[in-house]
Amino acid sequence: MENDDLKKQIDELFRLFKKVMDKYPPDGVPGIDRAQLEQLKAYLSQYEQIKDQFSVEMYGLGNSDMAKHFISMLTKRLRDQLGEDADIDDEPKVSEVEAKEKAFESLQTGENYDALIEAIDNELKNKNLSMEEIDELLDKRQKVLNKISK
């Protein structure tokens, strides 16, 4: 449980780093030179790719009070620097269909298949969908059905 909280703090730290880099021009990020900025961008990109598999235990952060303090301190400084912008979430919301589709693509099990089909069917019940959105959902549904029947 404590490690889940630490993972959330690390996610928040990376989210704030990304916001700072988006807010300031490359040469205007306070306290960091261009080479460090490029390194940080690479770390952020790598973290985005592995964050779902990231484990604080893997890096020995779970038992490190110094790491916890450092993450907390950096997060506070970034929040102070961003001000009101720190709380604005720029991440687009992922629909249930997209989340289930990603899970099915990564591991094609019967359970993921059923969950994806159910999510698509539930979304199709939405009366506010355009014809284009309906067609797209029906195409996804057919694609999944074809994958399973092979």
Side-chain angles (χ1 to χ4, degrees):
M1 185 65 162
E2 186 177 322
N3 287 341
D4 289 341
D5 291 339
L6 183 58
K7 181 166 181 343
K8 287 178 186 173
Q9 289 177 340
I10 291 170
D11 287 344
E12 176 69 358
L13 177 65
F14 277 98
R15 185 186 74 81
L16 293 171
F17 268 132
K18 187 174 186 224
K19 285 188 95 44
V20 167
M21 291 178 19
D22 290 344
K23 182 176 180 175
Y24 294 99
D27 293 328
V29 178
I32 191 168
D33 66 33
R34 196 170 206 39
Q36 291 171 324
L37 185 64
E38 292 303 317
Q39 182 94 31
L40 184 56
K41 283 181 182 179
Y43 287 143
L44 287 171
S45 175
Q46 290 171 357
Y47 182 74
E48 284 298 315
Q49 294 171 5
I50 66 158
K51 75 179 179 181
D52 293 332
Q53 295 87 25
F54 180 81
S55 165
V56 294
E57 294 89 5
M58 182 185 334
Y59 296 99
L61 298 174
N63 297 328
S64 173
D65 289 336
M66 187 171 84
K68 293 174 187 175
H69 176 72
F70 184 69
I71 291 167
S72 177
M73 180 187 68
L74 279 175
T75 301
K76 183 183 179 330
R77 284 190 181 171
L78 290 172
R79 283 188 161 286
D80 290 346
Q81 186 170 349
L82 286 166
E84 292 177 5
D85 291 341
D87 293 324
I88 298 171
D89 188 7
D90 294 334
E91 294 294 317
K93 299 296 180 209
V94 177
S95 74
E96 183 180 355
V97 171
E98 291 170 324
K100 301 293 182 188
E101 188 174 25
K102 190 179 251 187
F104 178 72
E105 290 300 323
S106 67
L107 186 62
Q108 295 184 5
T109 64
E111 186 178 304
N112 285 343
Y113 164 78
D114 291 340
L116 176 55
I117 294 295
E118 183 180 344
I120 291 171
D121 290 346
N122 287 338
E123 185 66 26
L124 284 167
K125 293 176 186 175
N126 182 347
K127 296 180 194 286
N128 297 324
L129 293 176
S130 68
M131 287 306 291
E132 184 178 296
E133 291 169 321
I134 292 170
D135 286 343
E136 187 178 316
L137 286 167
L138 289 172
D139 288 344
K140 282 183 183 184
R141 191 176 198 286
Q142 189 61 46
K143 183 179 169 186
V144 171
L145 290 171
N146 290 342
K147 275 188 178 182
I148 292 300
S149 66
K150 287 183 181 180

